[in-house]
Amino acid sequence: MIKSSGLKKISTAVFISGTGSNLRSLIKFSKKKGSKFTIELIISNNSKAKGLNYAQKFKIKKKIIDYSRKQNIDNKILKNLKKYNIKLICLAGFMKILSQNFIKKFNGKIINIHPSLLPKYKGLNTHQRIIDNKEKYSGCTVHFVNSKLDSGKIIIQKKVKVLKNDTANSLAKRILREEHILYPKALNKLYSNL
Ligand code: GRF
């Protein structure tokens, strides 16, 4: 269980690379009455990420980190996290790997959502692999981030049935809808003692 001091809301940063539908669900969740979270910062490695539009829409600060300039990426991110007093990082479709050093510095405060029932189907192309292997179930997982890809302690999971005519696309869509429910649930679970 994570503890935070005082009654102040937990300043959260969401890291994205694409559409940002999970970001949107986290923003909505943070705006609910009695919420313990406030999304203060959106970080993206991709200046064209559609999800960045939510920064403007909801008046949230955004920062683009240019990974092609390989130098000092950790420091650039850390500087921004400090500036906005970020206490929690939610990765939501963030396609870059965070360095071990960075993860150590934010130990236990970085979580991620992955579209499979981990530990099965880590990495990319999960839905196509599920279909190819004729799995009966897939799902999504919210987990802590450690230095190994998609391998940190599991916080919560939701099982989703694979339908007979599912394609990777239709399965992805159904799972994504569950992700939008699961991520807020995971935060509630982690911070229920506050
Ligand atoms: C989600 O399926 C998430 O689980 C995976 O990437 C996708 C991001 O979707 N890591 P969105 O950008 O939140 O819409």
Side-chain angles (χ1 to χ4, degrees):
M1 223 51 102
I2 296 172
K3 288 208 171 99
S4 125
S5 53
L7 293 167
K8 266 177 78 184
K9 291 198 180 193
I10 298 154
S11 289
T12 305
V14 182
F15 286 33
I16 63 164
S17 300
T19 318
S21 67
N22 278 291
L23 163 66
R24 181 175 178 272
S25 100
L26 289 173
I27 294 171
K28 296 244 148 149
F29 168 68
S30 75
K31 291 187 178 298
K32 282 197 172 155
K33 216 177 144 201
S35 155
K36 295 164 187 164
F37 305 90
T38 158
I39 314 283
E40 293 292 330
L41 179 63
I42 299 167
I43 287 193
S44 177
N45 62 301
N46 171 12
S47 61
K48 298 203 170 78
K50 255 174 86 184
L52 285 171
N53 293 330
Y54 294 119
Q56 208 174 356
K57 183 164 178 202
F58 294 100
K59 302 198 168 47
I60 300 170
K61 294 277 182 297
K62 68 175 177 197
K63 179 75 195 168
I64 288 133
I65 302 289
D66 183 356
Y67 272 72
S68 66
R69 302 159 138 251
K70 292 202 171 75
Q71 276 163 355
N72 282 328
I73 289 184
D74 283 4
N75 286 341
K76 281 181 198 156
I77 299 178
L78 284 166
K79 204 178 94 192
N80 281 280
L81 299 179
K82 206 166 172 198
K83 186 166 167 193
Y84 298 103
N85 198 23
I86 300 299
K87 300 287 187 235
L88 173 69
I89 296 173
C90 295
L91 306 183
F94 186 61
M95 301 300 284
K96 292 287 175 188
I97 308 264
L98 297 168
S99 77
Q100 288 207 27
N101 201 23
F102 182 87
I103 293 170
K104 249 196 211 154
K105 284 197 175 130
F106 248 78
N107 194 16
K109 301 287 167 66
I110 311 176
I111 60 181
N112 180 41
I113 188 155
H114 182 76
S116 80
L117 291 175
L118 290 174
K120 288 173 100 181
Y121 296 94
K122 296 172 184 170
L124 296 174
N125 291 324
T126 51
H127 308 300
Q128 191 57 56
R129 287 188 282 141
I130 292 271
I131 302 277
D132 291 347
N133 292 343
K134 301 191 172 29
E135 295 281 0
K136 288 202 169 74
Y137 291 95
S138 184
C140 41
T141 304
V142 180
H143 65 95
F144 285 106
V145 172
N146 65 11
S147 54
K148 282 197 193 144
L149 184 71
D150 299 328
S151 298
K153 192 171 171 243
I154 290 170
I155 300 162
I156 193 168
Q157 293 187 303
K158 170 78 183 179
K159 216 172 172 183
V160 173
K161 205 167 188 252
V162 181
L163 304 178
K164 227 174 127 203
N165 296 324
D166 259 337
T167 59
N169 212 2
S170 63
L171 180 61
K173 272 191 187 156
R174 246 181 14 269
I175 291 178
L176 194 59
R177 279 205 292 274
E178 295 298 336
E179 291 182 38
H180 300 156
I181 302 167
L182 195 69
Y183 219 150
K185 251 194 191 170
L187 295 184
N188 274 339
K189 185 174 172 189
L190 280 178
Y191 291 89
S192 61
N193 63 333
L194 294 186

